[in-house]
Amino acid sequence: TAVMTFDNYYVNDYKKEGTITWTNTSTANSLSWHREVANGVITAPNGDVWYHTSSKDITQVAGQNTPRVLLDDAFSITGTASTTTPAGISRTATIITPLHKQVSCDHIDQGSVRFQGPNHYALLDFGNGTCDNIATVSINGFTPRTITLP
């Protein structure tokens, strides 16, 4: 287990607080870990505050037999996150279908995430495993729209 806390840490005058804990959950056959963010706080220069928590599990799903070759590695990611805005509005993100990320690809190439706000939800789908920057988003169950990821 490794624990990181922030002590007077700022990025562009935004203060970051909280604790990130990584726990090794590997087995003899699989590399994996759990990442937990607790009491995450971002304070803007004007005093606005955002709160954040998350819990994710990451498992290596390819490349285990070639430890010195990183480009064939791929990972599966599951979990949830939540954020509360300065206005007190909470939003959650839940990985519905495990995200698949190849080291050799710039983008997530498979999986889906549901974003839930107080009045609406969106489903972001990264596709079928093709390494590209294309995804679809559906809001409140309407017909998905294709988007290009940056």
Side-chain angles (χ1 to χ4, degrees):
T1 300
V3 178
M4 179 173 68
T5 57
F6 299 93
D7 182 19
N8 205 30
Y9 181 74
Y10 289 81
V11 175
N12 296 329
D13 295 326
Y14 285 78
K15 184 177 184 181
K16 182 170 185 170
E17 301 172 88
T19 302
I20 302 174
T21 304
W22 291 270
T23 304
N24 183 354
T25 57
S26 299
T27 65
N29 300 322
S30 178
L31 173 67
S32 61
W33 62 93
H34 178 78
R35 181 182 185 271
E36 188 88 22
V37 176
N39 303 313
V41 179
I42 301 290
T43 304
N46 68 358
D48 284 350
V49 177
W50 291 262
Y51 299 96
H52 171 73
T53 61
S54 72
S55 177
K56 292 182 184 169
D57 291 294
I58 299 95
T59 302
Q60 186 172 4
V61 295
Q64 300 94 322
N65 297 328
T66 55
R68 291 186 176 91
V69 180
L70 297 178
L71 291 178
D72 67 351
D73 291 0
F75 296 88
S76 174
I77 305 160
T78 60
T80 62
S82 67
T83 301
T84 302
T85 69
I89 298 169
S90 294
R91 293 180 175 87
T92 60
T94 304
I95 298 173
I96 303 298
T97 307
L99 304 179
H100 183 266
K101 174 66 176 85
Q102 300 175 58
V103 170
S104 62
C105 185
D106 288 339
H107 299 280
I108 294 168
D109 62 19
Q110 192 170 6
S112 61
V113 181
R114 179 185 169 106
F115 298 92
Q116 179 70 53
N119 302 310
H120 304 284
Y121 73 91
L123 185 65
L124 179 61
D125 189 326
F126 290 95
N128 62 4
T130 302
C131 179
D132 59 24
N133 63 341
I134 303 299
T136 62
V137 64
S138 171
I139 298 175
N140 294 333
F142 286 101
T143 303
R145 299 178 113 182
T146 300
I147 61 171
T148 303
L149 302 169

